[in-house]
Amino acid sequence: MKDAFLFLSQGPGPGTGYPLLGEETIGSSPDSTIILPDDETVSPNHARVSFQEGAWTVEDLGSASGIIFKGKRVNKVVLSSEDTFQIGSFTFHFTEADIPEARDQFFETVTIL
């Protein structure tokens, strides 16, 4: 099994990591899974990261400023390990890594809790 993470590589809080456990929302709203404060270009419900058809995707939720991927604005993109994308002044780095079976059991427990 592979573990997936988003790491903040640019913007407030660089180096912060977010494990992807299912559907995650990104935005300025306190209800978002990943909250991006203090940036007027980030919508309250800006984007969604989810696992679809065997791959992680990031999808714009109708925001004004969109998602920038490889220098272009996109509505939805399938992510590969080491891809980066930008939301407002925040740049995210997507990483997938193999995890040992013992850690796999740990993440199943965390997900249940």
Side-chain angles (χ1 to χ4, degrees), residues 2 6 15 22 26 28 30 33 36 47 50 55 57 66 70 75 108:
K2 288 191 177 189
L6 286 180
I26 302 173
S28 60
T33 310
L36 304 180
S50 59
T57 62
K70 296 186 179 181
N75 289 323
E108 285 180 28

Side-chain angles (χ1 to χ4, degrees), residues 40-97:
E40 293 179 6
T41 63
V42 177
S43 298
N45 297 303
H46 199 104
R48 173 179 35 241
V49 179
S50 59
F51 195 73
Q52 299 177 9
E53 299 178 20
W56 286 98
T57 62
V58 61
E59 177 180 8
D60 183 66
L61 296 176
S63 68
S65 60
I67 299 167
I68 306 301
F69 181 75
K70 296 186 179 181
K72 297 181 182 175
R73 186 175 173 160
V74 296
N75 289 323
K76 184 176 182 178
V77 67
V78 174
L79 298 169
S80 297
S81 193
E82 310 312 319
D83 277 346
T84 61
F85 62 92
Q86 186 175 345
I87 294 177
S89 61
F90 298 86
T91 301
F92 289 94
H93 179 90
F94 173 75
T95 300
E96 283 185 304

